[in-house]
Amino acid sequence: MGLLVVGLPRLSGAHPDPWTALALLRSAALAFALGLAFLLDDAARQTTTPVPTGRAARTALRVALVAPVAAPWWTAVLLLAPGAHRPPAGAVILEAGPPAPSP
């Protein structure tokens, strides 16, 4: 869904301004985060309590399976944003990343 959000203006021939391009990138990151929330949710965590593998290991395995897909997906999203109005990639990546732990 995020690829469609960012790629649709390019397919239609529109040239969004920098603020619109940033909003499209934020929307794509939000769509990806919502998809990850459903993927990483462990609905059976109450019934799998007695298994020998801990919940952290099961979650780490899910993350390890998603990470090789997430990096090329985010690269494609950044490249689909219009080049002339693309915000700095480093700033957008820091904004889309997980929040810093509070002290």
Side-chain angles (χ1 to χ4, degrees), residues 4-67:
L4 182 65
V5 167
V6 177
L8 198 57
R10 179 172 278 216
L11 291 175
S12 67
H15 298 289
D17 57 54
W19 289 106
T20 305
L22 181 61
L24 290 173
L25 288 173
R26 287 176 176 167
S27 299
L30 179 65
F32 189 69
L34 287 173
L36 279 180
F38 283 105
L39 181 70
L40 296 177
D41 182 35
D42 188 6
R45 67 182 167 268
Q46 300 300 330
T47 60
T48 57
T49 303
V51 297
T53 307
R55 188 178 346 166
R58 292 190 307 264
T59 302
L61 179 62
R62 285 191 191 109
V63 170
L65 291 173
V66 171

Side-chain angles (χ1 to χ4, degrees), residues 2-3 6-7 10 25 28 71-87 89 92-93:
L3 288 172
V6 177
R10 179 172 278 216
L25 288 173
W73 179 88
W74 185 246
T75 303
V77 166
L78 287 176
L79 292 177
L80 278 175
H85 302 295
R86 186 180 305 140
V92 175
I93 290 170

